[in-house]
Amino acid sequence: MDFSLIDWGDIWQATWETLAMTGFSLLFTILLGLPLGILLFITGKRQLLEQRGIYRALSLVVNVLRSVPFLILLIVMIPVTVILVGTSLGVQGAIPPLVLGTAPFFARLVENVLREIDRGVVEACQAMGASKRQIIFGALLPEALPGLIAATTVTAIALMSYAAMSGVIGGGGLGDLAIRFGYQRFQTEVMVTTVAVLVVLVQALQFSGDRLVQHFTRK
């Protein structure tokens, strides 16, 4: 392999595109998935707003969306993506399927994190006369912060791998570069380089997430 043949400008451009896809998608995933996860938790059995019908409906939607392989979701979403952002290509075209593919996953993680909180926290708040809003935003979410950061880290890493996968349909980024040059033009050095960059990015995300969890964990 001759790494001197690599156009490093393309590598850096693809890296920034991957980071942009991951960052914007993570933002929208949190905006959609966090409220959905909270709603799943509070409408569950023996919770603050127990509503079995609502919980089952939301749980079904989440499970169905999580069951669709992301590559298929990318293709199925093309007409919807064109309507939403005007194109199915590049960074913009990759964001809607990325969000739809990971928001249900993040919501389920949020639900599981909230379930891990000691029920005594809720009971203590109720004994002090706290409202449901105060319990959720003043007690549950602050108590769950380290777990939520860990869930966000896991989701960000999944998003980065999905962002690379979006290169199959011209989504841009490192995945697109690996497919167009590394696979279709048999430039093995490009494939190896893109994989190495993705590994470094994932390690950086995991390290940052772990440090934040340690910082916010109460000792």
Side-chain angles (χ1 to χ4, degrees):
M1 290 183 291
D2 187 358
F3 288 94
S4 64
L5 298 176
I6 296 176
D7 186 337
W8 291 102
D10 287 344
I11 296 292
W12 291 122
Q13 177 66 29
T15 301
W16 282 115
E17 288 179 355
T18 297
L19 290 173
M21 282 189 283
T22 302
F24 284 113
S25 299
L26 182 62
L27 173 62
F28 290 115
T29 294
I30 293 173
L31 291 176
L32 293 175
L34 182 59
L36 180 57
I38 294 172
L39 193 57
L40 280 167
F41 171 71
I42 63 176
T43 56
K45 187 176 180 180
R46 298 178 57 211
Q47 299 303 334
L48 292 172
L49 298 174
E50 181 178 349
Q51 294 289 337
R52 294 189 179 183
I54 294 176
Y55 177 81
R56 288 173 181 170
L58 290 175
S59 187
L60 177 63
V61 171
V62 167
N63 289 339
V64 168
L65 290 175
R66 288 178 62 199
S67 300
V68 180
F70 183 69
L71 188 56
I72 294 175
L73 184 65
L74 275 173
I75 298 170
V76 171
M77 280 280 294
I78 288 176
V80 178
T81 300
V82 171
I83 293 173
L84 290 176
V85 299
T87 180
S88 64
L89 303 175
V91 174
Q92 285 182 313
I95 290 176
L98 284 171
V99 173
L100 188 61
T102 53
F105 171 72
F106 182 66
R108 191 64 82 184
L109 290 178
V110 170
E111 180 193 9
N112 291 336
V113 169
L114 292 174
R115 285 186 183 277
E116 293 296 320
I117 298 176
D118 189 344
R119 186 168 177 78
V121 174
V122 175
E123 294 173 350
C125 292
Q126 290 174 328
M128 291 186 292
S131 66
K132 291 180 174 62
R133 180 185 293 272
Q134 289 172 327
I135 293 173
I136 294 170
F137 294 101
L140 288 177
L141 290 182
E143 188 73 18
L145 184 58
L148 292 176
I149 293 173
T152 302
T153 302
V154 172
T155 304
I157 291 172
L159 269 170
M160 188 162 288
S161 66
Y162 286 167
M165 199 183 302
S166 69
V168 173
I169 61 167
L174 291 167
D176 180 56
L177 194 67
I179 291 171
R180 285 191 297 112
F181 292 92
Y183 177 70
Q184 294 177 348
R185 301 185 185 182
F186 304 102
Q187 296 181 10
T188 307
E189 58 274 5
V190 173
M191 182 73 74
V192 171
T193 302
T194 54
V195 171
V197 172
L198 284 170
V199 169
V200 170
L201 292 177
V202 167
Q203 292 300 316
L205 278 174
Q206 188 65 63
F207 176 78
S208 301
D210 290 344
R211 292 298 298 271
L212 285 172
V213 170
Q214 291 176 4
H215 178 74
F216 286 103
T217 297
R218 296 177 181 176
K219 297 182 180 179

